Amino acid sequence: MDFYFGTETTTFKPKKNIPEGSHQYELLKHAEATLGSGNLRMAVMLPDGEDLNEWVAVNTVDFFNQINMLYGTITDFCSEDSCPLMSAGPKYEYHWADGTNIKKPIKCSAPKYIDYLMTWVQDQLDDETLFPSKIGVPFPKNFMSVAKTILKRLFRVYAHIYHQHFDAVMQLQEEAHLNTSFKHFIFFVQEFNLIDRKELAPLQELIEKLTTKDR
């Protein structure tokens, strides 16, 4: 699902494209069609006969692109000065580590953290051994744990935007886009139990508000 803001599309990182004509592209089109029905609970369900890993992969790429675009619209408001720490309200602060280049968690500004995070996610999505795009190439045994880590980290960008930049989002009249994207994300991770409840704590009230109506 693409969101277009005004006349131009702003992305923070290059958009990750799923190759046209591939089975994953067909799955993405299916997801877009069911999203159009307005029933998000139904839209996130695994389509009949489809592989769970592939469904999670396609949607993870889509969420990366959505968050990339949403953050792209507010980058002017998220600076080293305005956000010296990567936080989601006064109680939650995130330190960056990726386990390879940066092993010990480091404190950094929100724009730096999000740059590290999105670059790291992009590297995972571009890794054919983790996210195979060719038909018949199997997903690795650790795929689901990698996908969970990606989604857990992408959630932090939503949390930062809601807690620190919601005024800017409203000023840009993008709250409907943000809410729809986040609601889709939450329904998806709830459907397949992909993020621990404690990780969702910074936006728990909002999650309850967005999901109660659809139970």
Side-chain angles (χ1 to χ4, degrees):
M1 180 201 285
D2 286 344
F3 292 120
Y4 295 95
F5 301 102
T7 51
E8 287 176 44
T9 304
T10 315
T11 58
F12 178 58
K13 295 275 176 200
K15 188 178 174 192
K16 170 77 180 161
N17 288 313
I18 288 174
E20 273 192 56
S22 67
H23 183 60
Q24 290 186 6
Y25 186 78
E26 295 308 314
L27 271 182
L28 182 63
K29 289 286 143 207
H30 169 85
E32 286 173 355
T34 48
L35 279 168
S37 72
N39 186 336
L40 284 173
R41 280 267 179 243
M42 293 273 297
V44 298
M45 288 176 182
L46 179 67
D48 286 348
E50 293 298 345
D51 175 61
L52 178 60
N53 284 343
E54 198 158 33
W55 184 236
V56 170
V58 165
N59 281 278
T60 300
V61 170
D62 193 32
F63 289 127
F64 168 77
N65 286 333
Q66 286 185 41
I67 293 165
N68 196 4
M69 220 175 273
L70 286 162
Y71 184 68
T73 64
I74 57 103
T75 46
D76 290 350
F77 302 90
C78 187
S79 66
E80 304 274 332
D81 294 333
S82 68
C83 303
L85 294 170
M86 175 62 179
S87 60
K91 284 201 280 187
Y92 300 96
E93 185 184 305
Y94 300 111
H95 299 170
W96 178 254
D98 59 16
T100 45
N101 297 324
I102 299 171
K103 290 186 174 151
K104 199 174 168 199
I106 57 166
K107 263 191 188 195
C108 54
S109 68
K112 189 80 189 148
Y113 184 101
I114 293 170
D115 188 29
Y116 279 136
L117 187 159
M118 297 301 266
T119 302
W120 176 83
V121 172
Q122 204 164 27
D123 288 346
Q124 311 310 301
L125 301 182
D126 288 341
D127 184 343
E128 278 288 325
T129 63
L130 279 177
F131 279 78
S133 58
K134 294 177 181 69
I135 291 180
V137 177
F139 283 84
K141 288 191 170 62
N142 67 334
F143 170 74
M144 208 51 87
S145 69
V146 172
K148 285 179 178 181
T149 304
I150 291 172
L151 293 164
K152 175 181 78 176
R153 289 177 173 173
L154 288 176
F155 167 81
R156 294 170 183 176
V157 185
Y158 280 120
H160 180 72
I161 293 172
Y162 271 112
H163 276 285
Q164 313 303 135
H165 299 295
F166 198 67
D167 285 352
V169 170
M170 286 173 70
Q171 199 181 316
L172 295 163
Q173 299 183 315
E174 299 304 346
E175 63 267 38
H177 289 138
L178 175 62
N179 288 340
T180 304
S181 173
F182 181 62
K183 190 173 177 180
H184 178 201
F185 178 88
I186 285 302
F187 279 16
F188 189 81
V189 299
Q190 286 179 341
E191 175 72 13
F192 303 106
N193 201 16
L194 297 167
I195 301 181
D196 285 346
R197 193 178 160 82
K198 68 176 190 300
E199 286 286 342
L200 301 173
L203 293 178
Q204 196 52 49
E205 275 180 47
L206 175 67
I207 291 167
E208 280 166 19
K209 195 169 148 190
L210 288 175
T211 56
T212 316
K213 288 181 265 181
D214 293 85
R215 281 202 181 121

